[in-house]
Amino acid sequence: MSIYQNRGTNAIYISKDDETVDGVHSLSKNEKSLSNNPEWLPTWDSNQKYPKLLPFKHVDRALFGDAEYENLFKAADGEVEHSQITPKFGTEVKSGIQLSKLDDKAKDDLALLVAKRGVVVFRNQDFKKRGPAFVKEWGKYFGPLHIHPNSGAPAGFPEFHIVYRRAGSGEEENKKTIFAHRTHNVVWHSDITYELQPPGITALFSIKTPESGGDTTFADTIEAYDRLSPQFQKMLDGLQVAHTSREQAKGSIAQGGIERREAVDNIHPLVRWHPVLKKKVLFLQRGFGKRILGLKVEESDALLKFLFNHVESAHDLQLRANWEEDTVVLWDNRRVVHSAIFDWDTATSRHVIRLTPQAERPVASEEEYLNWDPEVELKSQEHIDQILATPPAEVYELLESLKI
């Protein structure tokens, strides 16, 4: 008996036909036979155990990129066909650039392009054919690859996060699982914000998607911050939010899933500073960012509800990326939130792979960014439980004393 994930979250479902051998869960033989790319199918290895992630000094490759993307376009195979998805947010590259062939200088330009445009959609890429070992090495250039504590991954490559929905999942299955208790399935989020150092540039590429539907929608949280009044921005600046993976871990274990690392809590600024763009960003996560420190429960809930609604309902700061075979979407996980769209009801599979290089520790200002030290941070982590237990009236005085 094994498990698989539905949606981009940690929703886990068990099938009696699946296999478990020596603690490794995998799909049934019948399910495997339906795939043309078995090396990318999910497995869940309960033998995998990893220690707590430690702080490290991250250097963003975008800081070395050429402002005109000269190296990226020099690497092109012929003319690059590209267009803006919206004037301020998102670019689609239809042809001319093969990501797998980029050298380091071209990758620096790529990182800068993703930071500036927020989301870049590349068509006709060969990641799927290159295989996990190659793509893993490609992604390591942008930062240490995150190993998800609970999700499925290709056998032997825990650095990948797999979103897999079975081929038999049609209209009736949708009603039983996704829409049994909710009227919609839009879940806006920024990935793994519970980690001390969440991702920067993030890659998601398709193995198999529906002929239509199954888009991913993105919202720009730099634009969302800029839309707020100066007085409201002033109120938000300096606030800290408690993020946690405990509910995700508990849900995984309750449904037969795995736990590669113990659950964690971390504290991040509600408004973070972007080291490449030198701009302020609303750093939100509806699932993991549960509470604004220093506010009482009702105050925190009301403010977060307003901010979530602001980002999620403002269609004029959003874009929708559609999927084709061999599409790779790169985005800056610091400045965008996203959601999968489950709007198809045919009996077809959705199989996409996420590669998630970690980036800098979120901070509220350039001064904090320049002065941040991994060893000091490690000592600060010893006080997380104390901070989370401190009453609102006292918590910022404690944070100041600890220099967090």
Side-chain angles (χ1 to χ4, degrees), residues 146-163:
H146 181 258
I147 295 177
H148 197 282
N150 309 114
S151 72
F157 294 94
E159 298 85 0
F160 293 93
H161 167 84
I162 296 182
V163 180

mmCIF file of all heavy atoms in Angstrom, residues 146-163:
data_model
loop_
_atom_site.group_PDB
_atom_site.id
_atom_site.type_symbol
_atom_site.label_atom_id
_atom_site.label_comp_id
_atom_site.label_asym_id
_atom_site.label_seq_id
_atom_site.Cartn_x
_atom_site.Cartn_y
_atom_site.Cartn_z
ATOM 1 N N HIS A 146 16.477 21.975 -2.033
ATOM 2 C CA HIS A 146 15.656 21.618 -0.877
ATOM 3 C C HIS A 146 15.118 20.208 -1.019
ATOM 4 O O HIS A 146 14.673 19.805 -2.098
ATOM 5 C CB HIS A 146 14.493 22.598 -0.748
ATOM 6 C CG HIS A 146 13.603 22.331 0.418
ATOM 7 N ND1 HIS A 146 12.377 21.705 0.287
ATOM 8 C CD2 HIS A 146 13.758 22.587 1.738
ATOM 9 C CE1 HIS A 146 11.818 21.604 1.480
ATOM 10 N NE2 HIS A 146 12.620 22.123 2.374
ATOM 11 N N ILE A 147 15.174 19.452 0.060
ATOM 12 C CA ILE A 147 14.551 18.132 0.122
ATOM 13 C C ILE A 147 13.268 18.268 0.929
ATOM 14 O O ILE A 147 13.309 18.604 2.111
ATOM 15 C CB ILE A 147 15.494 17.100 0.763
ATOM 16 C CG1 ILE A 147 16.727 16.894 -0.139
ATOM 17 C CG2 ILE A 147 14.771 15.770 0.984
ATOM 18 C CD1 ILE A 147 17.757 15.945 0.452
ATOM 19 N N HIS A 148 12.144 18.046 0.272
ATOM 20 C CA HIS A 148 10.856 18.216 0.941
ATOM 21 C C HIS A 148 10.701 17.176 2.044
ATOM 22 O O HIS A 148 11.031 16.001 1.851
ATOM 23 C CB HIS A 148 9.717 18.083 -0.071
ATOM 24 C CG HIS A 148 8.413 18.622 0.419
ATOM 25 N ND1 HIS A 148 7.613 17.923 1.295
ATOM 26 C CD2 HIS A 148 7.780 19.790 0.179
ATOM 27 C CE1 HIS A 148 6.543 18.644 1.561
ATOM 28 N NE2 HIS A 148 6.622 19.784 0.902
ATOM 29 N N PRO A 149 10.193 17.574 3.210
ATOM 30 C CA PRO A 149 10.096 16.618 4.319
ATOM 31 C C PRO A 149 9.065 15.516 4.112
ATOM 32 O O PRO A 149 9.152 14.469 4.770
ATOM 33 C CB PRO A 149 9.715 17.500 5.515
ATOM 34 C CG PRO A 149 9.120 18.729 4.923
ATOM 35 C CD PRO A 149 9.822 18.942 3.629
ATOM 36 N N ASN A 150 8.110 15.692 3.202
ATOM 37 C CA ASN A 150 7.012 14.727 3.109
ATOM 38 C C ASN A 150 6.681 14.220 1.712
ATOM 39 O O ASN A 150 6.062 13.177 1.595
ATOM 40 C CB ASN A 150 5.721 15.340 3.694
ATOM 41 C CG ASN A 150 5.911 15.925 5.070
ATOM 42 O OD1 ASN A 150 5.802 17.122 5.266
ATOM 43 N ND2 ASN A 150 6.227 15.081 6.046
ATOM 44 N N SER A 151 7.042 14.921 0.668
ATOM 45 C CA SER A 151 6.478 14.624 -0.644
ATOM 46 C C SER A 151 7.180 13.479 -1.362
ATOM 47 O O SER A 151 8.262 13.038 -0.974
ATOM 48 C CB SER A 151 6.505 15.873 -1.527
ATOM 49 O OG SER A 151 7.836 16.157 -1.918
ATOM 50 N N GLY A 152 6.563 13.034 -2.461
ATOM 51 C CA GLY A 152 7.138 12.001 -3.297
ATOM 52 C C GLY A 152 8.264 12.543 -4.155
ATOM 53 O O GLY A 152 8.307 13.738 -4.475
ATOM 54 N N ALA A 153 9.198 11.658 -4.540
ATOM 55 C CA ALA A 153 10.356 12.048 -5.344
ATOM 56 C C ALA A 153 10.765 10.869 -6.219
ATOM 57 O O ALA A 153 10.470 9.711 -5.889
ATOM 58 C CB ALA A 153 11.517 12.464 -4.444
ATOM 59 N N PRO A 154 11.446 11.129 -7.338
ATOM 60 C CA PRO A 154 11.969 10.018 -8.129
ATOM 61 C C PRO A 154 12.915 9.165 -7.290
ATOM 62 O O PRO A 154 13.630 9.683 -6.429
ATOM 63 C CB PRO A 154 12.719 10.720 -9.268
ATOM 64 C CG PRO A 154 12.158 12.097 -9.323
ATOM 65 C CD PRO A 154 11.785 12.438 -7.914
ATOM 66 N N ALA A 155 12.917 7.888 -7.527
ATOM 67 C CA ALA A 155 13.769 6.976 -6.754
ATOM 68 C C ALA A 155 15.226 7.426 -6.803
ATOM 69 O O ALA A 155 15.800 7.590 -7.878
ATOM 70 C CB ALA A 155 13.639 5.559 -7.302
ATOM 71 N N GLY A 156 15.813 7.656 -5.627
ATOM 72 C CA GLY A 156 17.202 8.050 -5.540
ATOM 73 C C GLY A 156 17.457 9.534 -5.672
ATOM 74 O O GLY A 156 18.606 9.979 -5.581
ATOM 75 N N PHE A 157 16.379 10.336 -5.854
ATOM 76 C CA PHE A 157 16.552 11.777 -6.044
ATOM 77 C C PHE A 157 15.547 12.545 -5.180
ATOM 78 O O PHE A 157 14.576 13.121 -5.679
ATOM 79 C CB PHE A 157 16.380 12.147 -7.518
ATOM 80 C CG PHE A 157 17.440 11.581 -8.415
ATOM 81 C CD1 PHE A 157 17.236 10.376 -9.073
ATOM 82 C CD2 PHE A 157 18.652 12.238 -8.575
ATOM 83 C CE1 PHE A 157 18.217 9.839 -9.892
ATOM 84 C CE2 PHE A 157 19.644 11.713 -9.391
ATOM 85 C CZ PHE A 157 19.429 10.508 -10.052
ATOM 86 N N PRO A 158 15.775 12.579 -3.875
ATOM 87 C CA PRO A 158 14.829 13.252 -2.977
ATOM 88 C C PRO A 158 14.787 14.763 -3.172
ATOM 89 O O PRO A 158 13.926 15.431 -2.588
ATOM 90 C CB PRO A 158 15.358 12.889 -1.590
ATOM 91 C CG PRO A 158 16.819 12.648 -1.784
ATOM 92 C CD PRO A 158 16.925 12.008 -3.144
ATOM 93 N N GLU A 159 15.700 15.325 -3.979
ATOM 94 C CA GLU A 159 15.733 16.773 -4.195
ATOM 95 C C GLU A 159 14.577 17.274 -5.052
ATOM 96 O O GLU A 159 14.377 18.486 -5.174
ATOM 97 C CB GLU A 159 17.060 17.182 -4.858
ATOM 98 C CG GLU A 159 18.276 16.888 -4.022
ATOM 99 C CD GLU A 159 18.804 15.468 -4.167
ATOM 100 O OE1 GLU A 159 18.207 14.681 -4.951
ATOM 101 O OE2 GLU A 159 19.797 15.119 -3.501
ATOM 102 N N PHE A 160 13.823 16.354 -5.641
ATOM 103 C CA PHE A 160 12.679 16.759 -6.463
ATOM 104 C C PHE A 160 11.375 16.599 -5.684
ATOM 105 O O PHE A 160 11.230 15.673 -4.889
ATOM 106 C CB PHE A 160 12.598 15.923 -7.739
ATOM 107 C CG PHE A 160 13.735 16.152 -8.690
ATOM 108 C CD1 PHE A 160 14.868 15.349 -8.653
ATOM 109 C CD2 PHE A 160 13.685 17.174 -9.622
ATOM 110 C CE1 PHE A 160 15.922 15.551 -9.527
ATOM 111 C CE2 PHE A 160 14.740 17.392 -10.502
ATOM 112 C CZ PHE A 160 15.856 16.582 -10.455
ATOM 113 N N HIS A 161 10.449 17.499 -5.935
ATOM 114 C CA HIS A 161 9.107 17.432 -5.360
ATOM 115 C C HIS A 161 8.146 17.117 -6.508
ATOM 116 O O HIS A 161 8.089 17.859 -7.499
ATOM 117 C CB HIS A 161 8.761 18.776 -4.708
ATOM 118 C CG HIS A 161 7.327 18.948 -4.343
ATOM 119 N ND1 HIS A 161 6.795 18.476 -3.165
ATOM 120 C CD2 HIS A 161 6.308 19.548 -4.997
ATOM 121 C CE1 HIS A 161 5.504 18.789 -3.104
ATOM 122 N NE2 HIS A 161 5.195 19.443 -4.204
ATOM 123 N N ILE A 162 7.403 16.022 -6.382
ATOM 124 C CA ILE A 162 6.531 15.588 -7.465
ATOM 125 C C ILE A 162 5.069 15.863 -7.120
ATOM 126 O O ILE A 162 4.594 15.534 -6.033
ATOM 127 C CB ILE A 162 6.712 14.085 -7.760
ATOM 128 C CG1 ILE A 162 8.133 13.808 -8.263
ATOM 129 C CG2 ILE A 162 5.694 13.611 -8.796
ATOM 130 C CD1 ILE A 162 8.392 12.362 -8.615
ATOM 131 N N VAL A 163 4.384 16.480 -8.069
ATOM 132 C CA VAL A 163 2.929 16.631 -7.988
ATOM 133 C C VAL A 163 2.342 15.646 -8.985
ATOM 134 O O VAL A 163 2.575 15.761 -10.192
ATOM 135 C CB VAL A 163 2.489 18.065 -8.320
ATOM 136 C CG1 VAL A 163 0.968 18.184 -8.213
ATOM 137 C CG2 VAL A 163 3.163 19.062 -7.388
#
